[in-house]
Amino acid sequence: MIAIIDYGIGNLFSIYNGLKRVYDKPTIVSSDNTGKMEGADGIIVPGVGAFDDCVRNFKPFSDTLIEIVESGVPVLGICIGMQLFFDESEEGEEKGLGLIPGKVIRLPKTVRVPHMGWNNLHILKQSKLLDRISEEDYFYFVHSYYCVPHDEEHIVASVAYGSDLAAIVQKNNIYGVQFHPEKSSKRGLHILENFAEICRGG
Amino acid sequence: MLTKRIIPCLDCDLGVPEGRVVKGIEFKSITYAGIPWELAAEYGEQGADELVFLDITASNERRETMAHVIERTASNVFIPLTVGGGIRSVDDAKRIFNAGADKISVNTAAIKNPKLVNEIAEMFGNQACVVAIDAKRRHLPSDEEAKKRADEEREIIDTKEGKCWFECSFYGGKKFTGVDALKWAQEVEERGAGEILLTSMDRDGTKDGFDIELTKAVCDRVNIPVIASGGCGGPKHMKEVFELSDVSAALAASIFHYKEYTIREVKQYLKENGISVRL
């Protein structure tokens, strides 16, 4: 079972439907049944909106998520969901989960903000998440802040917007994508399928 | 590289069960292009980068129909969906977001109550808040007139047809507001809008091409993405607006609904002309 965390930010309609296309057992977990996270084969942390709201709303799940990550279960953060994995963000005061060392900073004024639209990846490292994905494939981005891992080794793919920004990060079993796979048509569903495959132990 | 977005617009008549996408008006009667989610799936398949649904009936009881349309579309089409038309409150917006929309577009309600822009942006994020601006040229025949308007703090633009300012309209172009469109664009950015859907009321329905001067003027004044709309008669017009302004996306309706061009054909043409698109 792959658990999609519903922490009351944004709707999970698209991510649920997208995952269902490529995986038969997505389950939505809300704050009144966090116990369901235990025993999951994988966890997806979606997210839209502001960093502080996300951190505060995520609190009921934080401890369980950290335990699950330590036990080696694959976790995928999407957009703000990925940003939550870092230590801190220029967007807010709250501390992130600190799962990947680094911070989240605002896009410069030299480019239009948000970075909104379809952009392609520059692949820096092999990852199972990128199975069947090439640098000619486009993904839908919409964000005003971006992740800067302390260790560049954690950047799997970057995206060019003003400068090269982290588009996919990975630290062991922790994955993050800055774009929205659930809004990136067929290639996006491939990413979700690849994550499901990782959760199956593939 | 960030590509330019091509966005088909689905004007929805929700007075019909399941709703219909309006193609146009021929011999005074309305013609339909199809059922919204079916057409959405077709455009998605052709490579649309995003879809805009506009409720042109926009009455309260039809909001549920729009929510249903979006639900049906979002369960099958995995690209961003924007919904506009008749959204007056955060509660209206919430219903549409819960159905699977990614962005809400507001026009009339925002001009009447500008705080709505802040509220939507705060509650759902800047990226989810699109402000639609329908702008009409107001030409200034004499220098005297131009000075008078400048004193009223209008932003005056030099165009090929002489000096003009741009006035916002609402209620689908039926009424005028006296609001300066260029100033309003800057104000909604400050209030937290994440994108502007800019329609030229002079060009809308003409197929004469986008109003480049208007588009440029807005793009130069804001740092959020702008979608050009109104007047697209074919791929050449898309090429023109992308070459001559810093617009992020171009929207068109009838060229797609009448099957004059497929989205793929438009994108192929743009790519051949050196414009970066997702194919």
Side-chain angles (χ1 to χ4, degrees):
Chain A
M1 179 265 280
I2 295 180
I4 304 168
I5 310 288
D6 178 7
Y7 54 110
I9 299 278
N11 78 79
L12 306 179
F13 195 89
S14 299
I15 183 71
Y16 180 80
N17 279 295
L19 191 61
K20 223 168 64 177
R21 280 294 179 92
V22 295
Y23 182 81
D24 55 0
K25 286 173 285 185
T27 300
I28 292 180
V29 175
S30 52
S31 59
D32 51 18
N33 60 0
T34 54
K36 271 195 181 172
M37 289 164 76
E38 288 157 29
D41 301 312
I43 307 270
I44 293 183
V45 183
V48 292
F51 189 82
D52 278 357
D53 288 345
C54 287
V55 172
R56 284 185 209 119
N57 280 281
F58 197 79
K59 288 219 162 111
F61 305 92
S62 300
D63 293 344
T64 315
L65 185 80
I66 290 166
E67 275 172 35
I68 285 173
V69 164
E70 281 168 3
S71 73
V73 170
V75 176
L76 174 68
I78 297 173
C79 197
I80 305 260
M82 159 192 182
Q83 297 183 0
L84 283 182
F85 295 167
F86 287 77
D87 298 319
E88 56 185 344
S89 171
E90 280 184 4
E91 194 186 0
E93 306 289 318
E94 298 279 349
K95 288 273 163 240
L97 296 171
L99 295 169
I100 302 178
K103 57 187 177 176
V104 182
I105 64 175
R106 191 170 165 84
L107 285 164
K109 288 203 166 68
T110 49
V111 289
R112 287 189 192 274
V113 179
H115 171 211
M116 189 188 276
W118 298 76
N119 209 331
N120 59 333
L121 305 175
H122 181 46
I123 297 171
L124 302 168
K125 293 183 75 174
Q126 290 270 325
S127 169
K128 283 181 186 163
L129 205 58
L130 286 168
D131 196 26
R132 290 176 299 160
I133 301 293
S134 83
E135 295 194 340
E136 274 80 56
D137 295 327
Y138 287 89
F139 297 92
Y140 186 78
F141 287 81
V142 51
H143 61 115
S144 302
Y145 293 81
Y146 66 100
C147 300
V148 184
H150 283 323
D151 187 348
E152 280 187 18
E153 282 293 298
H154 292 148
I155 304 176
V156 169
S158 65
V159 60
Y161 192 62
S163 58
D164 287 334
L165 318 174
I168 302 181
V169 297
Q170 185 188 344
K171 186 190 165 204
N172 306 320
N173 54 326
I174 309 163
Y175 299 82
V177 290
Q178 183 59 68
F179 54 87
H180 287 271
E182 78 282 15
K183 287 288 159 186
S184 297
S185 196
K186 293 192 183 81
R187 296 291 175 248
L189 297 187
H190 275 166
I191 297 271
L192 293 178
E193 198 173 0
N194 290 343
F195 181 69
E197 199 50 42
I198 292 167
C199 296
R200 287 189 194 104
Chain B
M1 183 177 183
L2 183 65
T3 56
K4 299 292 184 184
R5 285 173 281 152
I6 305 301
I7 306 176
C9 180
L10 288 77
D11 291 320
C12 298
D13 177 354
L14 302 175
V16 187
E18 299 187 315
R20 287 291 181 282
V21 175
V22 174
K23 184 154 74 170
I25 294 169
E26 286 160 24
F27 306 108
K28 290 186 180 170
S29 66
I30 208 161
T31 58
Y32 295 119
I35 295 170
W37 59 81
E38 291 179 0
L39 209 55
E42 189 182 326
Y43 290 149
E45 203 55 45
Q46 286 178 21
D49 292 312
E50 208 166 309
L51 295 167
V52 170
F53 295 78
L54 284 182
D55 175 2
I56 60 162
T57 39
S59 61
N60 280 325
E61 61 275 19
R62 282 160 194 165
R63 191 101 349 102
E64 277 309 304
T65 316
M66 182 55 104
H68 180 62
V69 163
I70 296 306
E71 231 163 71
R72 286 290 296 261
T73 305
S75 55
N76 192 30
V77 181
F78 297 97
I79 58 176
L81 309 174
T82 301
V83 178
I87 291 157
R88 295 183 187 86
S89 66
V90 166
D91 282 343
D92 288 347
K94 195 176 249 170
R95 179 72 190 92
I96 297 292
F97 280 123
N98 286 340
D102 301 282
K103 310 183 205 178
I104 290 291
S105 164
V106 287
N107 178 358
T108 306
I111 290 180
K112 287 184 160 179
N113 170 26
K115 276 194 186 137
L116 181 63
V117 178
N118 305 62
E119 286 167 12
I120 292 177
E122 275 157 31
M123 186 156 259
F124 307 101
N126 307 72
Q127 84 293 335
C129 180
V130 182
V131 174
I133 300 180
D134 294 348
K136 182 148 181 79
R137 286 178 178 227
R138 295 298 183 202
H139 282 284
L140 302 164
S142 66
D143 286 349
E144 203 177 307
E145 187 104 6
K147 185 170 181 317
K148 194 175 137 201
R149 295 298 176 188
D151 290 345
E152 291 168 10
E153 299 190 342
R154 302 288 183 209
E155 293 221 25
I156 315 281
I157 300 294
D158 280 310
T159 71
K160 284 185 202 122
E161 292 80 26
K163 289 185 192 311
C164 77
W165 67 284
F166 293 95
E167 183 177 8
C168 287
S169 78
F170 57 16
Y171 293 109
K174 289 187 200 75
K175 286 188 181 173
F176 289 90
T177 60
V179 174
D180 186 313
L182 301 181
K183 296 213 146 170
W184 177 235
Q186 295 165 78
E187 180 178 338
V188 298
E189 177 178 27
E190 277 165 32
R191 287 182 180 277
E195 191 170 38
I196 289 171
L197 169 52
L198 178 67
T199 303
S200 160
M201 299 314 282
D202 302 283
R203 296 297 178 89
D204 203 26
T206 65
K207 296 199 169 189
D208 288 341
F210 296 96
D211 185 337
I212 304 290
E213 286 156 333
L214 166 68
T215 310
K216 245 181 91 54
V218 172
C219 288
D220 288 349
R221 281 166 178 77
V222 297
N223 198 41
I224 52 178
V226 178
I227 304 170
S229 157
C232 183
K236 277 188 181 156
H237 292 146
M238 299 247 182
K239 170 179 175 273
E240 186 184 50
V241 80
F242 288 132
E243 281 178 349
L244 299 177
S245 77
D246 188 32
V247 84
S248 303
L251 178 141
S254 61
I255 64 162
F256 300 131
H257 299 336
Y258 282 98
K259 303 195 191 302
E260 290 164 19
Y261 301 94
T262 64
I263 292 158
R264 204 170 300 284
E265 283 165 350
V266 168
K267 288 181 140 185
Q268 199 74 49
Y269 172 86
L270 292 171
K271 192 180 181 186
E272 283 160 15
N273 283 278
I275 290 157
S276 161
V277 288
R278 174 183 69 108
L279 266 174

